[in-house]
Amino acid sequence: MKKLLTIALLLLTGLTAGAQEGTWTTGVNEPDELKGSSGGPYYCYNIEGEGSFVIWNWDDFLFKINTDKGLFDVWYYESTGTRVISISLGLYAMDGKLVDKLENLELLADVTGRSAWASKDGYWYATRKKIKKMKHALKSGEGYIRILCPRISAPEFDVKITPYN
């Protein structure tokens, strides 16, 4: 009986994870002279109860992820105190085939462990180029992105970002 219940729960969990669907929203950040921010548009893909993916410019490599469940598995460099997480990014064609991937990509993390973002100056040219390619596929509708990241006290962050429309 326990085995049947366990199998049923695993199947239900698998169906729930596979059925996760998010929504794109857009908005404008107001400029703030005191903070030195110029403002501008943002694009956010949010999966209710799971987390979100945020970008500000389709032509650069910068993005941010947020988790609604648990905390990202954050670690830090003792020499600098820089807090980071490691993620895997996959670019998929619309038929579900993996086109390109980035593994062990480090993102800077906030103190809470609920948010992380791409560093403005921490990646090689080839890495920046792959991230731009992935964002271009989202905007053009040619493919989707999948993000994997370990979390503490919650299942792995496994989010599929569908094309922007």
Side-chain angles (χ1 to χ4, degrees), residues 64-137:
K64 179 179 182 179
I65 60 174
N66 304 293
T67 181
D68 293 343
K69 291 182 186 172
L71 305 171
F72 289 126
D73 186 10
V74 178
W75 50 280
Y76 69 97
Y77 290 105
E78 289 186 23
S79 59
T80 62
T82 304
R83 300 171 56 85
V84 296
I85 65 170
S86 179
I87 69 167
S88 294
L89 281 176
L91 172 61
Y92 292 81
M94 292 310 291
D95 63 3
K97 293 189 182 190
L98 183 65
V99 175
D100 208 347
K101 67 181 176 180
L102 281 169
E103 295 179 301
N104 301 316
L105 179 67
E106 290 184 2
L107 301 182
L108 299 175
D110 71 353
V111 175
T112 67
R114 299 181 66 88
S115 186
W117 55 93
S119 171
K120 289 184 179 180
D121 49 57
Y123 305 117
W124 295 98
Y125 174 76
T127 301
R128 291 178 183 201
K129 189 174 176 180
K130 279 188 179 185
I131 296 171
K132 288 179 185 180
K133 176 182 173 182
M134 292 178 183
K135 287 172 65 175
H136 173 74

Side-chain angles (χ1 to χ4, degrees), residues 8 63-64 72 90 100 139 147 153:
F63 66 94
K64 179 179 182 179
F72 289 126
D100 208 347
K139 186 173 183 192
I147 303 172
S153 67

Side-chain angles (χ1 to χ4, degrees), residues 27-69:
V28 177
N29 290 320
E30 296 298 322
D32 187 334
E33 291 180 38
L34 184 61
K35 291 181 179 179
S37 65
S38 58
Y42 67 86
Y43 308 88
C44 179
Y45 187 81
N46 186 51
I47 298 174
E48 191 68 36
E50 188 66 34
S52 61
F53 169 79
V54 182
I55 59 176
W56 302 272
N57 182 341
W58 290 104
D59 298 323
D60 68 19
F61 61 94
L62 300 176
F63 66 94
K64 179 179 182 179
I65 60 174
N66 304 293
T67 181
D68 293 343
K69 291 182 186 172

